[in-house]
Amino acid sequence: MSVLEEMRIRSLGVIDDAVVELSPGFTAVTGETGAGKTMVVTSLGLLLGGRADPALVRVGAKAAVVEGRITVSPGDAAALRAEEAGGEIEDGALIVSRTVSAEGRSRAHLGGRSVPVGVLAELADDLVAVHGQTDQQGLLKPARQRQALDRYAGPGVEGPHTAYAAAYRRLRAVVTELDELTTRARERAQEADLLRFGLEEVAAVEPLPGEDTELAAEAERLGHAEALASAAALAHTALAGNPEDPEGLDATTVVAAAGQSLDAVRAHDPALAALADRIGEISILLSDVAGELAGYADQLDADPLRLAAVEERRAALTALTRKYGEDITAVLAWAEDGASRLTELEGDDDRIGELTAERDALRGELSALGQQLTDARAEAADRFAAAVTEELASLAMPHARVSFAIRQTEAPDEESGIDIGGRSVLYGPSGADEVELLLAPHPGAQPRPIAKGASGGELSRVMLAVEVVFAGSDPVPTYLFDEVDAGVGGKAAVEVGRRLAKLARSAQVVVVTHLPQVAAFADRQLLVEKTVDGSVTRSGVTVLEGEDRVRELSRMLAGQEDSETARAHAEELLATARTDG
Protein backbone atom coordinates (compact mmCIF):
# COMPACT_ATOMS: atom_id res chain seq x y z
CA MET A 1 0.00 0.00 0.00
CA SER A 2 1.21 3.52 -0.82
CA VAL A 3 1.82 5.76 2.20
CA LEU A 4 2.53 9.50 2.22
CA GLU A 5 5.45 9.73 4.63
CA GLU A 6 6.45 13.35 4.53
CA MET A 7 5.78 16.72 2.93
CA ARG A 8 8.13 19.68 2.79
CA ILE A 9 6.40 23.02 2.26
CA ARG A 10 8.26 26.21 1.37
CA SER A 11 6.92 29.73 0.84
CA LEU A 12 3.28 28.66 0.77
CA GLY A 13 0.85 31.00 2.52
CA VAL A 14 2.00 31.58 6.09
CA ILE A 15 4.47 28.68 5.87
CA ASP A 16 8.05 29.74 5.30
CA ASP A 17 9.78 26.34 5.39
CA ALA A 18 8.27 23.40 7.23
CA VAL A 19 8.35 19.61 7.14
CA VAL A 20 5.20 17.59 7.89
CA GLU A 21 5.99 14.05 9.06
CA LEU A 22 2.96 11.78 8.77
CA SER A 23 2.10 8.49 10.43
CA PRO A 24 1.22 5.37 8.41
CA GLY A 25 -1.95 5.24 10.55
CA PHE A 26 -3.83 8.25 11.93
CA THR A 27 -2.17 11.69 11.95
CA ALA A 28 -3.92 14.71 13.49
CA VAL A 29 -2.80 18.21 12.56
CA THR A 30 -3.68 20.81 15.21
CA GLY A 31 -2.84 24.41 16.07
CA GLU A 32 -4.33 27.83 16.70
CA THR A 33 -6.81 29.24 14.18
CA GLY A 34 -4.86 30.86 11.35
CA ALA A 35 -1.66 29.00 12.20
CA GLY A 36 -1.58 27.37 8.78
CA LYS A 37 -3.15 23.96 9.40
CA THR A 38 -5.17 24.11 6.20
CA MET A 39 -1.93 24.60 4.25
CA VAL A 40 -1.49 20.85 4.71
CA VAL A 41 -4.65 20.30 2.65
CA THR A 42 -3.58 22.96 0.14
CA SER A 43 -0.12 21.41 -0.20
CA LEU A 44 -1.49 17.96 -0.82
CA GLY A 45 -3.89 19.39 -3.38
CA LEU A 46 -0.95 20.90 -5.26
CA LEU A 47 0.94 17.59 -5.15
CA LEU A 48 -2.08 15.93 -6.71
CA GLY A 49 -2.34 18.29 -9.66
CA GLY A 50 -4.71 20.86 -8.14
CA ARG A 51 -5.07 24.36 -9.55
CA ALA A 52 -2.02 26.55 -8.94
CA ASP A 53 -3.00 29.92 -7.45
CA PRO A 54 -0.14 32.44 -7.46
CA ALA A 55 -1.83 34.16 -4.50
CA LEU A 56 -0.68 31.18 -2.40
CA VAL A 57 2.97 32.16 -2.85
CA ARG A 58 4.34 33.77 0.31
CA VAL A 59 4.84 37.51 0.02
CA GLY A 60 8.42 38.26 -1.01
CA ALA A 61 9.12 34.76 -2.33
CA LYS A 62 9.68 33.92 -5.99
CA ALA A 63 7.86 30.59 -5.82
CA ALA A 64 6.11 28.14 -3.51
CA VAL A 65 7.42 24.56 -3.48
CA VAL A 66 5.77 21.42 -2.12
CA GLU A 67 7.63 18.10 -2.07
CA GLY A 68 6.18 14.79 -0.95
CA ARG A 69 7.77 11.40 -0.29
CA ILE A 70 5.49 8.43 -0.86
CA THR A 71 6.48 4.87 -0.04
CA VAL A 72 5.24 2.54 -2.76
CA SER A 73 5.26 -1.16 -3.42
CA PRO A 74 5.91 -2.77 -6.84
CA GLY A 75 2.64 -2.86 -8.74
CA ASP A 76 1.05 0.08 -6.89
CA ALA A 77 -0.85 2.45 -9.18
CA ALA A 78 1.47 5.31 -8.20
CA ALA A 79 4.58 3.24 -8.94
CA LEU A 80 3.29 2.10 -12.33
CA ARG A 81 2.28 5.62 -13.37
CA ALA A 82 5.65 7.02 -12.30
CA GLU A 83 7.50 4.38 -14.32
CA GLU A 84 5.32 5.12 -17.37
CA ALA A 85 6.27 8.81 -17.05
CA GLY A 86 9.97 7.91 -16.85
CA GLY A 87 10.30 8.62 -13.12
CA GLU A 88 12.50 6.63 -10.77
CA ILE A 89 11.68 4.98 -7.46
CA GLU A 90 14.60 4.85 -5.03
CA ASP A 91 14.55 2.53 -2.02
CA GLY A 92 10.79 2.13 -2.35
CA ALA A 93 10.17 5.90 -2.22
CA LEU A 94 8.58 8.08 -4.88
CA ILE A 95 9.33 11.81 -4.76
CA VAL A 96 6.59 14.15 -6.01
CA SER A 97 7.06 17.90 -6.25
CA ARG A 98 5.13 20.94 -7.41
CA THR A 99 6.42 24.48 -7.89
CA VAL A 100 4.19 27.54 -8.29
CA SER A 101 5.83 30.84 -9.22
CA ALA A 102 4.59 34.23 -8.10
CA GLU A 103 3.82 34.93 -11.78
CA GLY A 104 1.51 31.90 -11.93
CA ARG A 105 3.73 29.41 -13.76
CA SER A 106 3.58 25.85 -12.48
CA ARG A 107 5.98 22.90 -12.78
CA ALA A 108 5.56 19.31 -11.66
CA HIS A 109 8.06 16.50 -11.09
CA LEU A 110 7.39 12.81 -10.50
CA GLY A 111 10.22 10.49 -9.52
CA GLY A 112 12.81 13.08 -10.55
CA ARG A 113 11.30 13.53 -14.02
CA SER A 114 9.53 16.69 -15.19
CA VAL A 115 5.93 15.79 -16.09
CA PRO A 116 2.75 17.63 -17.07
CA VAL A 117 0.62 18.65 -14.09
CA GLY A 118 -2.09 16.37 -15.46
CA VAL A 119 0.07 13.34 -14.68
CA LEU A 120 -0.06 14.23 -10.98
CA ALA A 121 -3.82 14.64 -11.26
CA GLU A 122 -4.05 11.10 -12.65
CA LEU A 123 -2.56 9.79 -9.41
CA ALA A 124 -5.20 11.51 -7.29
CA ASP A 125 -8.04 9.01 -7.67
CA ASP A 126 -5.89 6.02 -6.78
CA LEU A 127 -3.65 7.68 -4.20
CA VAL A 128 -5.54 10.08 -1.93
CA ALA A 129 -9.17 10.89 -1.17
CA VAL A 130 -9.52 14.48 0.07
CA HIS A 131 -12.61 15.53 2.04
CA GLY A 132 -13.03 19.11 3.12
CA GLN A 133 -15.51 21.98 3.25
CA THR A 134 -14.54 23.22 -0.22
CA ASP A 135 -12.63 20.29 -1.72
CA GLN A 136 -14.63 17.10 -2.17
CA GLN A 137 -13.25 14.32 -4.34
CA GLY A 138 -13.40 10.55 -4.60
CA LEU A 139 -16.83 9.27 -3.70
CA LEU A 140 -18.59 12.47 -4.73
CA LYS A 141 -18.17 11.30 -8.33
CA PRO A 142 -21.07 9.09 -9.46
CA ALA A 143 -18.75 6.80 -11.42
CA ARG A 144 -16.64 6.28 -8.28
CA GLN A 145 -19.80 5.64 -6.26
CA ARG A 146 -20.76 2.83 -8.64
CA GLN A 147 -17.25 1.36 -8.54
CA ALA A 148 -17.16 1.51 -4.74
CA LEU A 149 -20.62 -0.06 -4.47
CA ASP A 150 -19.50 -2.88 -6.76
CA ARG A 151 -16.46 -3.54 -4.59
CA TYR A 152 -18.61 -3.40 -1.47
CA ALA A 153 -21.06 -5.88 -3.01
CA GLY A 154 -18.27 -8.41 -3.52
CA PRO A 155 -18.84 -11.69 -5.42
CA GLY A 156 -22.52 -10.93 -5.99
CA VAL A 157 -21.54 -8.21 -8.46
CA GLU A 158 -18.06 -9.37 -9.39
CA GLY A 159 -19.21 -12.57 -11.13
CA PRO A 160 -21.87 -11.12 -13.43
CA HIS A 161 -19.78 -7.97 -13.95
CA THR A 162 -16.84 -10.01 -15.29
CA ALA A 163 -19.11 -11.96 -17.64
CA TYR A 164 -20.93 -8.78 -18.67
CA ALA A 165 -17.67 -6.94 -19.45
CA ALA A 166 -16.47 -9.80 -21.67
CA ALA A 167 -19.78 -9.95 -23.55
CA TYR A 168 -19.78 -6.16 -23.90
CA ARG A 169 -16.30 -6.14 -25.46
CA ARG A 170 -17.30 -8.87 -27.91
CA LEU A 171 -20.48 -7.01 -28.81
CA ARG A 172 -18.48 -3.85 -29.55
CA ALA A 173 -16.22 -5.83 -31.87
CA VAL A 174 -19.18 -7.48 -33.63
CA VAL A 175 -20.99 -4.16 -34.09
CA THR A 176 -17.83 -2.53 -35.45
CA GLU A 177 -17.37 -5.31 -38.02
CA LEU A 178 -21.04 -5.20 -38.97
CA ASP A 179 -20.87 -1.44 -39.51
CA GLU A 180 -17.78 -1.94 -41.65
CA LEU A 181 -19.50 -4.54 -43.80
CA THR A 182 -22.79 -2.69 -44.24
CA THR A 183 -21.67 0.92 -44.58
CA ARG A 184 -18.96 0.00 -47.09
CA ALA A 185 -21.07 -2.47 -49.07
CA ARG A 186 -20.91 -0.40 -52.28
CA GLU A 187 -17.14 0.06 -52.08
CA ARG A 188 -16.64 -3.61 -51.37
CA ALA A 189 -18.86 -4.56 -54.36
CA GLN A 190 -16.81 -2.27 -56.59
CA GLU A 191 -13.63 -3.84 -55.25
CA ALA A 192 -15.00 -7.32 -56.01
CA ASP A 193 -15.87 -6.31 -59.61
CA LEU A 194 -12.38 -4.96 -60.20
CA LEU A 195 -10.84 -8.13 -58.81
CA ARG A 196 -13.02 -10.35 -61.00
CA PHE A 197 -12.05 -8.37 -64.10
CA GLY A 198 -8.35 -8.57 -63.28
CA LEU A 199 -8.44 -12.26 -62.45
CA GLU A 200 -10.30 -12.97 -65.70
CA GLU A 201 -7.62 -11.05 -67.65
CA VAL A 202 -4.84 -13.07 -66.01
CA ALA A 203 -6.70 -16.35 -66.52
CA ALA A 204 -7.25 -15.57 -70.20
CA VAL A 205 -3.50 -15.14 -70.80
CA GLU A 206 -2.50 -18.09 -68.56
CA PRO A 207 1.03 -16.83 -67.86
CA LEU A 208 3.69 -19.21 -66.59
CA PRO A 209 6.27 -18.37 -63.93
CA GLY A 210 9.35 -16.78 -65.59
CA GLU A 211 7.74 -16.90 -69.03
CA ASP A 212 8.36 -13.22 -69.72
CA THR A 213 12.11 -13.62 -69.15
CA GLU A 214 12.35 -16.69 -71.37
CA LEU A 215 10.40 -15.06 -74.20
CA ALA A 216 12.52 -11.92 -74.06
CA ALA A 217 15.65 -14.03 -74.59
CA GLU A 218 14.01 -15.95 -77.45
CA ALA A 219 12.87 -12.77 -79.17
CA GLU A 220 16.35 -11.34 -78.95
CA ARG A 221 17.78 -14.50 -80.54
CA LEU A 222 15.20 -14.75 -83.33
CA GLY A 223 15.51 -11.08 -84.17
CA HIS A 224 19.25 -11.45 -84.85
CA ALA A 225 19.27 -15.00 -86.28
CA GLU A 226 21.16 -14.19 -89.50
CA ALA A 227 23.87 -12.21 -87.72
CA LEU A 228 24.24 -14.96 -85.11
CA ALA A 229 24.51 -17.70 -87.78
CA SER A 230 27.10 -15.74 -89.75
CA ALA A 231 29.19 -15.05 -86.67
CA ALA A 232 29.04 -18.71 -85.61
CA ALA A 233 30.15 -19.87 -89.12
CA LEU A 234 33.08 -17.45 -89.20
CA ALA A 235 34.15 -18.50 -85.72
CA HIS A 236 33.90 -22.18 -86.69
CA THR A 237 36.08 -21.61 -89.80
CA ALA A 238 38.66 -19.74 -87.69
CA LEU A 239 38.88 -22.63 -85.30
CA ALA A 240 38.48 -25.71 -87.51
CA GLY A 241 39.29 -24.46 -91.02
CA ASN A 242 37.34 -24.44 -94.28
CA PRO A 243 37.15 -27.80 -96.13
CA GLU A 244 37.04 -25.95 -99.42
CA ASP A 245 40.33 -24.18 -98.64
CA PRO A 246 42.89 -26.87 -97.63
CA GLU A 247 45.66 -24.30 -97.54
CA GLY A 248 43.86 -22.03 -95.10
CA LEU A 249 45.26 -21.50 -91.61
CA ASP A 250 43.05 -22.33 -88.61
CA ALA A 251 43.53 -22.30 -84.83
CA THR A 252 43.19 -26.06 -84.40
CA THR A 253 46.01 -26.77 -86.88
CA VAL A 254 48.28 -24.12 -85.36
CA VAL A 255 47.81 -25.39 -81.82
CA ALA A 256 48.33 -28.99 -82.93
CA ALA A 257 51.61 -28.03 -84.57
CA ALA A 258 52.76 -26.30 -81.42
CA GLY A 259 52.01 -29.40 -79.41
CA GLN A 260 53.91 -31.65 -81.78
CA SER A 261 57.02 -29.45 -81.62
CA LEU A 262 57.10 -29.77 -77.84
CA ASP A 263 56.29 -33.48 -77.71
CA ALA A 264 59.66 -34.30 -79.36
CA VAL A 265 61.67 -32.79 -76.46
CA ARG A 266 59.33 -32.94 -73.45
CA ALA A 267 61.21 -35.88 -71.97
CA HIS A 268 64.21 -33.62 -71.27
CA ASP A 269 62.50 -31.06 -69.00
CA PRO A 270 59.45 -31.52 -66.74
CA ALA A 271 58.57 -27.81 -67.02
CA LEU A 272 58.37 -28.01 -70.78
CA ALA A 273 56.36 -31.23 -70.50
CA ALA A 274 53.81 -29.38 -68.35
CA LEU A 275 53.49 -26.68 -71.02
CA ALA A 276 53.01 -29.34 -73.65
CA ASP A 277 50.15 -30.83 -71.57
CA ARG A 278 48.46 -27.45 -71.34
CA ILE A 279 48.69 -27.04 -75.13
CA GLY A 280 47.08 -30.46 -75.43
CA GLU A 281 44.18 -29.26 -73.24
CA ILE A 282 43.78 -26.16 -75.41
CA SER A 283 43.65 -28.35 -78.51
CA ILE A 284 40.85 -30.47 -77.00
CA LEU A 285 38.90 -27.32 -75.91
CA LEU A 286 39.21 -25.80 -79.38
CA SER A 287 37.84 -28.98 -80.94
CA ASP A 288 34.87 -28.98 -78.51
CA VAL A 289 34.02 -25.31 -79.13
CA ALA A 290 34.33 -25.79 -82.90
CA GLY A 291 31.90 -28.72 -82.71
CA GLU A 292 29.37 -26.72 -80.65
CA LEU A 293 29.60 -23.79 -83.05
CA ALA A 294 28.80 -26.11 -85.94
CA GLY A 295 25.78 -27.50 -84.05
CA TYR A 296 24.58 -23.98 -83.07
CA ALA A 297 24.70 -22.77 -86.63
CA ASP A 298 22.80 -25.84 -87.87
CA GLN A 299 20.03 -25.42 -85.21
CA LEU A 300 19.60 -21.66 -85.59
CA ASP A 301 16.54 -20.94 -87.68
CA ALA A 302 15.48 -17.47 -88.74
CA ASP A 303 11.72 -18.15 -88.46
CA PRO A 304 9.68 -14.94 -88.95
CA LEU A 305 6.45 -16.69 -87.94
CA ARG A 306 7.92 -17.85 -84.65
CA LEU A 307 9.29 -14.38 -83.98
CA ALA A 308 5.84 -12.86 -84.61
CA ALA A 309 4.24 -15.39 -82.24
CA VAL A 310 6.80 -14.62 -79.53
CA GLU A 311 6.27 -10.87 -79.84
CA GLU A 312 2.51 -11.31 -79.70
CA ARG A 313 2.79 -13.39 -76.53
CA ARG A 314 5.16 -10.85 -75.01
CA ALA A 315 2.64 -8.08 -75.72
CA ALA A 316 -0.06 -10.02 -73.88
CA LEU A 317 2.24 -10.51 -70.89
CA THR A 318 3.27 -6.84 -70.93
CA ALA A 319 -0.39 -5.83 -70.72
CA LEU A 320 -0.60 -7.81 -67.46
CA THR A 321 2.61 -6.43 -65.98
CA ARG A 322 1.49 -2.86 -66.65
CA LYS A 323 -1.58 -3.43 -64.43
CA TYR A 324 -0.78 -6.08 -61.87
CA GLY A 325 2.96 -6.37 -61.24
CA GLU A 326 6.44 -5.49 -62.36
CA ASP A 327 6.95 -8.98 -63.84
CA ILE A 328 4.98 -12.16 -64.39
CA THR A 329 6.03 -13.58 -61.03
CA ALA A 330 4.50 -10.49 -59.34
CA VAL A 331 1.39 -10.78 -61.52
CA LEU A 332 0.86 -14.39 -60.41
CA ALA A 333 1.31 -13.36 -56.76
CA TRP A 334 -1.30 -10.60 -57.22
CA ALA A 335 -3.70 -13.10 -58.76
CA GLU A 336 -3.29 -15.46 -55.81
CA ASP A 337 -3.93 -12.67 -53.28
CA GLY A 338 -6.79 -11.30 -55.37
CA ALA A 339 -8.52 -14.66 -55.50
CA SER A 340 -8.32 -14.94 -51.71
CA ARG A 341 -9.66 -11.41 -51.24
CA LEU A 342 -12.49 -12.04 -53.72
CA THR A 343 -13.52 -15.13 -51.80
CA GLU A 344 -13.64 -13.00 -48.64
CA LEU A 345 -15.70 -10.27 -50.32
CA GLU A 346 -18.11 -12.74 -51.89
CA GLY A 347 -18.70 -14.20 -48.43
CA ASP A 348 -19.83 -10.84 -46.98
CA ASP A 349 -23.52 -11.65 -47.13
CA ASP A 350 -23.00 -14.85 -45.17
CA ARG A 351 -20.74 -13.01 -42.71
CA ILE A 352 -23.31 -10.26 -42.21
CA GLY A 353 -25.92 -12.87 -41.36
CA GLU A 354 -23.61 -14.59 -38.88
CA LEU A 355 -22.65 -11.33 -37.20
CA THR A 356 -26.26 -10.13 -36.98
CA ALA A 357 -27.24 -13.34 -35.24
CA GLU A 358 -24.28 -13.08 -32.86
CA ARG A 359 -25.09 -9.42 -32.12
CA ASP A 360 -28.68 -10.25 -31.20
CA ALA A 361 -27.56 -13.16 -29.01
CA LEU A 362 -25.01 -10.97 -27.23
CA ARG A 363 -27.57 -8.26 -26.56
CA GLY A 364 -29.82 -10.89 -25.03
CA GLU A 365 -26.92 -12.11 -22.89
CA LEU A 366 -26.14 -8.55 -21.81
CA SER A 367 -29.78 -8.02 -20.84
CA ALA A 368 -29.69 -11.04 -18.53
CA LEU A 369 -26.31 -10.12 -17.02
CA GLY A 370 -27.30 -6.45 -16.73
CA GLN A 371 -30.40 -7.47 -14.79
CA GLN A 372 -28.23 -9.56 -12.47
CA LEU A 373 -25.95 -6.55 -11.92
CA THR A 374 -28.89 -4.26 -11.17
CA ASP A 375 -30.38 -6.72 -8.69
CA ALA A 376 -27.02 -7.32 -6.95
CA ARG A 377 -26.32 -3.60 -6.72
CA ALA A 378 -29.77 -2.91 -5.29
CA GLU A 379 -29.25 -5.53 -2.58
CA ALA A 380 -25.77 -4.21 -1.73
CA ALA A 381 -27.03 -0.60 -1.78
CA ASP A 382 -29.60 -1.42 0.90
CA ARG A 383 -26.92 -2.91 3.13
CA PHE A 384 -24.58 -0.02 2.49
CA ALA A 385 -27.22 2.64 3.18
CA ALA A 386 -28.19 0.99 6.45
CA ALA A 387 -24.55 0.81 7.57
CA VAL A 388 -23.80 4.46 6.73
CA THR A 389 -27.03 5.64 8.34
CA GLU A 390 -26.04 3.78 11.51
CA GLU A 391 -22.62 5.47 11.45
CA LEU A 392 -24.21 8.89 11.03
CA ALA A 393 -26.35 8.37 14.12
CA SER A 394 -23.14 8.44 16.18
CA LEU A 395 -21.76 11.48 14.34
CA ALA A 396 -24.32 14.08 15.54
CA MET A 397 -26.63 13.30 12.60
CA PRO A 398 -29.17 10.99 14.30
CA HIS A 399 -32.00 11.78 11.89
CA ALA A 400 -30.01 11.60 8.67
CA ARG A 401 -30.79 8.88 6.17
CA VAL A 402 -28.55 7.73 3.33
CA SER A 403 -29.81 5.85 0.30
CA PHE A 404 -28.76 4.90 -3.19
CA ALA A 405 -30.57 5.88 -6.37
CA ILE A 406 -30.03 3.20 -9.00
CA ARG A 407 -31.48 4.39 -12.27
CA GLN A 408 -31.37 3.58 -15.97
CA THR A 409 -31.86 5.89 -18.94
CA GLU A 410 -34.45 4.99 -21.53
CA ALA A 411 -32.92 4.12 -24.91
CA PRO A 412 -34.22 6.11 -27.89
CA ASP A 413 -34.81 2.84 -29.74
CA GLU A 414 -34.46 -0.88 -29.19
CA GLU A 415 -31.33 -1.10 -31.30
CA SER A 416 -29.36 1.13 -28.92
CA GLY A 417 -30.48 -0.46 -25.65
CA ILE A 418 -30.78 -3.68 -23.70
CA ASP A 419 -33.78 -4.95 -21.80
CA ILE A 420 -33.72 -4.28 -18.05
CA GLY A 421 -36.93 -4.75 -16.11
CA GLY A 422 -39.00 -4.81 -19.29
CA ARG A 423 -37.58 -1.51 -20.57
CA SER A 424 -35.04 -0.80 -23.30
CA VAL A 425 -32.31 1.21 -21.57
CA LEU A 426 -28.92 2.58 -22.48
CA TYR A 427 -25.92 0.51 -21.39
CA GLY A 428 -22.15 0.79 -21.10
CA PRO A 429 -19.09 -1.28 -20.17
CA SER A 430 -20.24 -1.58 -16.52
CA GLY A 431 -23.92 -2.24 -17.08
CA ALA A 432 -26.99 -0.07 -17.46
CA ASP A 433 -27.07 1.42 -13.97
CA GLU A 434 -26.51 5.02 -12.99
CA VAL A 435 -25.61 4.96 -9.31
CA GLU A 436 -25.88 8.00 -7.04
CA LEU A 437 -25.56 8.35 -3.27
CA LEU A 438 -28.38 10.39 -1.70
CA LEU A 439 -28.79 12.06 1.68
CA ALA A 440 -31.89 13.19 3.58
CA PRO A 441 -30.31 15.16 6.49
CA HIS A 442 -33.52 15.33 8.56
CA PRO A 443 -37.04 13.84 8.63
CA GLY A 444 -39.24 15.17 5.88
CA ALA A 445 -36.34 16.21 3.67
CA GLN A 446 -36.25 14.81 0.15
CA PRO A 447 -33.17 12.68 -0.53
CA ARG A 448 -30.70 14.61 -2.66
CA PRO A 449 -27.19 13.83 -4.04
CA ILE A 450 -24.76 14.08 -1.14
CA ALA A 451 -22.87 16.97 -2.75
CA LYS A 452 -26.11 19.00 -2.73
CA GLY A 453 -28.02 17.62 0.23
CA ALA A 454 -25.59 18.42 3.04
CA SER A 455 -23.87 21.43 4.52
CA GLY A 456 -20.07 21.53 4.58
CA GLY A 457 -19.74 20.02 8.06
CA GLU A 458 -22.46 17.44 7.40
CA LEU A 459 -20.85 16.47 4.13
CA SER A 460 -17.50 15.78 5.79
CA ARG A 461 -19.19 13.55 8.35
CA VAL A 462 -21.17 11.74 5.65
CA MET A 463 -17.95 11.13 3.77
CA LEU A 464 -16.30 9.88 6.96
CA ALA A 465 -19.18 7.45 7.53
CA VAL A 466 -18.98 6.32 3.91
CA GLU A 467 -15.23 5.79 4.12
CA VAL A 468 -15.54 3.78 7.32
CA VAL A 469 -18.16 1.50 5.73
CA PHE A 470 -16.15 1.17 2.55
CA ALA A 471 -12.83 0.60 4.32
CA GLY A 472 -11.24 -2.42 2.73
CA SER A 473 -13.39 -2.27 -0.41
CA ASP A 474 -12.22 1.10 -1.77
CA PRO A 475 -8.51 0.88 -2.60
CA VAL A 476 -7.55 4.54 -1.95
CA PRO A 477 -4.60 4.23 0.49
CA THR A 478 -4.69 7.73 2.03
CA TYR A 479 -7.58 9.85 3.31
CA LEU A 480 -7.31 13.53 4.18
CA PHE A 481 -10.14 15.16 6.15
CA ASP A 482 -10.39 18.92 6.66
CA GLU A 483 -13.15 20.29 8.90
CA VAL A 484 -14.55 16.79 9.35
CA ASP A 485 -15.52 17.84 12.88
CA ALA A 486 -17.23 21.12 11.94
CA GLY A 487 -20.31 21.65 14.09
CA VAL A 488 -19.54 18.60 16.23
CA GLY A 489 -18.73 18.50 19.91
CA GLY A 490 -18.94 16.43 23.06
CA LYS A 491 -19.78 12.76 22.67
CA ALA A 492 -20.23 13.05 18.88
CA ALA A 493 -16.66 14.38 18.62
CA VAL A 494 -15.38 11.31 20.44
CA GLU A 495 -17.26 9.13 17.97
CA VAL A 496 -15.68 11.02 15.07
CA GLY A 497 -12.25 10.32 16.52
CA ARG A 498 -13.10 6.68 17.16
CA ARG A 499 -14.27 6.19 13.56
CA LEU A 500 -11.22 7.90 12.13
CA ALA A 501 -9.08 5.53 14.17
CA LYS A 502 -11.13 2.62 12.83
CA LEU A 503 -10.56 3.79 9.26
CA ALA A 504 -6.83 4.13 9.96
CA ARG A 505 -6.58 0.40 10.62
CA SER A 506 -6.77 -0.24 6.87
CA ALA A 507 -5.53 3.05 5.41
CA GLN A 508 -3.50 6.16 6.15
CA VAL A 509 -5.65 8.95 7.63
CA VAL A 510 -4.65 12.61 7.97
CA VAL A 511 -7.06 14.96 9.76
CA VAL A 512 -6.87 18.72 10.22
CA THR A 513 -8.87 19.31 13.40
CA HIS A 514 -9.56 21.72 16.24
CA LEU A 515 -11.24 19.09 18.43
CA PRO A 516 -9.16 17.44 21.18
CA GLN A 517 -11.61 14.50 21.19
CA VAL A 518 -10.53 13.75 17.61
CA ALA A 519 -6.82 14.47 18.05
CA ALA A 520 -6.60 12.17 21.05
CA PHE A 521 -7.31 9.13 18.85
CA ALA A 522 -4.41 9.90 16.49
CA ASP A 523 -1.31 7.73 16.31
CA ARG A 524 0.67 10.94 15.73
CA GLN A 525 -0.25 14.53 16.53
CA LEU A 526 1.41 17.42 14.70
CA LEU A 527 1.32 20.97 16.05
CA VAL A 528 1.50 23.88 13.65
CA GLU A 529 2.73 27.09 15.31
CA LYS A 530 3.57 30.53 13.98
CA THR A 531 6.66 32.47 14.98
CA VAL A 532 6.47 36.03 16.27
CA ASP A 533 6.70 37.39 12.71
CA GLY A 534 3.58 35.44 11.70
CA SER A 535 5.27 32.72 9.68
CA VAL A 536 5.59 28.96 10.10
CA THR A 537 9.19 27.77 9.93
CA ARG A 538 10.83 24.35 9.99
CA SER A 539 10.56 24.30 13.79
CA GLY A 540 6.93 25.37 13.58
CA VAL A 541 5.61 21.88 12.74
CA THR A 542 6.44 19.50 15.56
CA VAL A 543 5.49 15.97 16.56
CA LEU A 544 3.85 16.05 19.98
CA GLU A 545 4.63 13.32 22.48
CA GLY A 546 4.14 12.80 26.16
CA GLU A 547 3.75 16.00 28.15
CA ASP A 548 3.75 18.19 25.06
CA ARG A 549 0.73 16.37 23.69
CA VAL A 550 -1.15 16.68 26.97
CA ARG A 551 -0.44 20.44 27.00
CA GLU A 552 -1.74 20.88 23.43
CA LEU A 553 -4.89 18.86 24.16
CA SER A 554 -5.40 20.97 27.26
CA ARG A 555 -5.14 24.15 25.20
CA MET A 556 -7.64 22.73 22.70
CA LEU A 557 -10.03 21.85 25.54
CA ALA A 558 -9.91 25.01 27.63
CA GLY A 559 -7.62 27.45 25.89
CA GLN A 560 -5.19 27.05 28.81
CA GLU A 561 -2.23 24.70 28.62
CA ASP A 562 -1.68 24.65 32.39
CA SER A 563 -5.25 24.21 33.59
CA GLU A 564 -5.27 21.22 35.91
CA THR A 565 -8.85 20.42 35.00
CA ALA A 566 -8.05 20.58 31.30
CA ARG A 567 -4.94 18.46 31.81
CA ALA A 568 -6.93 15.82 33.64
CA HIS A 569 -9.52 15.81 30.89
CA ALA A 570 -6.77 15.59 28.25
CA GLU A 571 -5.18 12.61 29.96
CA GLU A 572 -8.59 10.98 30.24
CA LEU A 573 -9.16 11.48 26.51
CA LEU A 574 -5.81 9.88 25.68
CA ALA A 575 -6.56 6.96 27.97
CA THR A 576 -9.98 6.49 26.37
CA ALA A 577 -8.48 6.63 22.91
CA ARG A 578 -5.82 4.03 23.78
CA THR A 579 -8.48 1.75 25.22
CA ASP A 580 -11.01 2.16 22.39
CA GLY A 581 -8.49 2.45 19.56
Side-chain angles (χ1 to χ4, degrees), residues 379-397:
E379 186 276 332
D382 290 340
R383 288 188 288 112
F384 167 83
V388 174
T389 299
E390 183 179 349
E391 289 288 335
L392 290 177
S394 300
L395 296 174
M397 296 178 68

Side-chain angles (χ1 to χ4, degrees), residues 173-247:
V174 167
V175 169
T176 298
E177 188 175 351
L178 259 177
D179 289 343
E180 170 75 10
L181 290 174
T182 55
T183 60
R184 293 189 55 200
R186 178 177 298 177
E187 293 136 358
R188 295 167 75 89
Q190 291 173 346
E191 182 185 356
D193 287 343
L194 288 174
L195 283 172
R196 287 192 198 93
F197 179 80
L199 291 171
E200 287 171 0
E201 274 197 314
V202 174
V205 175
E206 296 183 338
L208 298 174
E211 184 181 3
D212 50 343
T213 303
E214 295 174 2
L215 288 176
E218 186 177 358
E220 185 74 12
R221 186 170 63 254
L222 290 172
H224 299 83
E226 291 183 2
L228 292 172
S230 176
L234 288 173
H236 178 269
T237 299
L239 294 180
N242 186 348
E244 297 179 359
D245 183 14
E247 301 298 328

Side-chain angles (χ1 to χ4, degrees), residues 254-262 274-284:
V254 171
V255 171
Q260 290 173 0
S261 66
L262 294 180
L275 292 173
D277 290 340
R278 291 172 63 187
I279 289 176
E281 294 171 359
I282 292 173
S283 181
I284 294 171

Side-chain angles (χ1 to χ4, degrees), residues 494-555:
V494 174
E495 291 300 329
V496 170
R498 181 176 288 116
R499 275 148 182 78
L500 288 168
K502 179 180 179 182
L503 181 60
R505 294 171 189 167
S506 59
Q508 181 184 33
V509 177
V510 181
V511 178
V512 177
T513 182
H514 66 276
L515 289 182
Q517 296 96 325
V518 173
F521 279 87
D523 300 305
R524 173 174 292 176
Q525 184 173 346
L526 301 179
L527 174 63
V528 180
E529 293 180 297
K530 289 183 179 179
T531 59
V532 292
D533 66 355
S535 67
V536 178
T537 64
R538 182 178 290 272
S539 61
V541 181
T542 56
V543 179
L544 298 179
E545 296 179 348
E547 181 64 23
D548 291 336
R549 189 172 185 186
V550 173
R551 283 174 59 81
E552 171 62 8
L553 290 175
S554 298
R555 181 199 64 76

Side-chain angles (χ1 to χ4, degrees), residues 227-311:
L228 292 172
S230 176
L234 288 173
H236 178 269
T237 299
L239 294 180
N242 186 348
E244 297 179 359
D245 183 14
E247 301 298 328
L249 194 62
D250 60 81
T252 302
T253 302
V254 171
V255 171
Q260 290 173 0
S261 66
L262 294 180
D263 284 342
V265 294
R266 63 181 297 159
H268 305 301
D269 187 350
L272 191 62
L275 292 173
D277 290 340
R278 291 172 63 187
I279 289 176
E281 294 171 359
I282 292 173
S283 181
I284 294 171
L285 182 58
L286 285 174
S287 296
D288 290 343
V289 173
E292 290 182 15
L293 283 171
Y296 175 83
D298 291 340
Q299 293 174 1
L300 193 61
D301 184 12
D303 185 351
L305 294 178
R306 175 55 186 169
L307 178 59
V310 168
E311 293 296 353

